[in-house]
Amino acid sequence: MTLTQILSQFFDLRSFSSLWYWLSLAAIWSMAAHWGLGVPYDQVRRAGRRGGAVAEDLHELVRLNVARILWLVGGHEVALTALGSFMLSSLVVIGFGFGIEFFQAVALILVPLSVVGALSLVRARQIAALIAAGRSSPDEVIRQLRRHRLYVRLIGTLALLVTGFWGMLQNIEMSVLN
């Protein structure tokens, strides 16, 4: 076996049979669950345990990140939703309608991540409303971030299950055809 053959087997471009796809998928969902609203979850846990200045620092970090998220969106929700819907529906149609595995794999990553993105925007608006009303405390922010992480983990778990089953079916189909 030549070096070229070894490398081409190692870097298989068929998505669902590629180790790199599954490692990337795991890393993406791990990071999505860890970095809720731009705040690392270990900092949320530490603030929940220690309280005091650590919780106040977390509260300020969340306030800054929420302001940044809302500034980035900047009232363009309709345009972003339309563009995102077009891109995601194109991926789904090309992938599943035409049976192209690479687009299926990308769609199975980006569709659930778009749900997480929408959830993050909703959570950012909720926290911003609490801050504007003066009802935002470090304990409330910690509670909001914990709830957000739970929802992201549930979405990620469901996405991993669906992707795993779909990938398994694709690999079985390829092995039967060959």
Side-chain angles (χ1 to χ4, degrees):
M1 193 177 241
T2 68
L3 180 63
T4 308
Q5 290 172 329
I6 293 171
L7 288 176
S8 68
Q9 276 188 335
F10 190 67
F11 294 107
D12 187 8
L13 294 178
R14 289 186 314 123
S15 302
F16 296 117
S17 62
S18 171
L19 174 65
W20 296 109
Y21 176 75
W22 296 107
L23 290 174
S24 299
L25 185 69
I28 287 167
W29 282 109
S30 176
M31 289 179 64
H34 184 70
W35 289 90
L37 299 178
V39 178
Y41 192 71
D42 60 294
Q43 191 169 3
V44 175
R45 277 195 323 238
R46 189 171 60 240
R49 280 193 308 252
R50 292 186 185 171
V54 176
E56 289 296 328
D57 289 345
L58 174 73
H59 185 266
E60 185 63 20
L61 179 61
V62 169
R63 186 189 66 76
L64 291 171
N65 283 346
V66 163
R68 181 178 162 269
I69 290 168
L70 296 178
W71 175 82
L72 286 171
V73 172
H76 301 293
E77 291 91 349
V78 174
L80 291 172
T81 301
L83 179 63
S85 297
F86 171 74
M87 291 175 65
L88 291 175
S89 61
S90 297
L91 275 173
V92 169
V93 168
I94 292 169
F96 295 96
F98 294 109
I100 300 173
E101 187 175 321
F102 176 76
F103 287 96
Q104 292 172 3
V106 173
L108 287 170
I109 292 173
L110 292 183
V111 169
L113 278 179
S114 68
V115 174
V116 170
L119 179 68
S120 296
L121 183 58
V122 168
R123 185 70 63 194
R125 288 195 186 286
Q126 290 173 345
I127 292 173
L130 288 173
I131 291 170
R135 295 181 303 159
S136 173
S137 67
D139 290 336
E140 178 62 24
V141 167
I142 290 169
R143 191 176 69 74
Q144 291 280 340
L145 289 173
R146 284 181 176 159
R147 181 179 297 148
H148 180 72
R149 182 170 193 247
L150 173 67
Y151 292 153
V152 170
R153 289 176 74 186
L154 289 173
I155 292 167
T157 301
L158 181 62
L160 287 169
L161 283 171
V162 169
T163 304
F165 283 127
W166 185 257
M168 180 180 61
L169 287 173
Q170 294 302 307
N171 287 333
I172 290 171
E173 184 178 308
M174 286 303 258
S175 68
V176 169
L177 292 176
N178 289 337

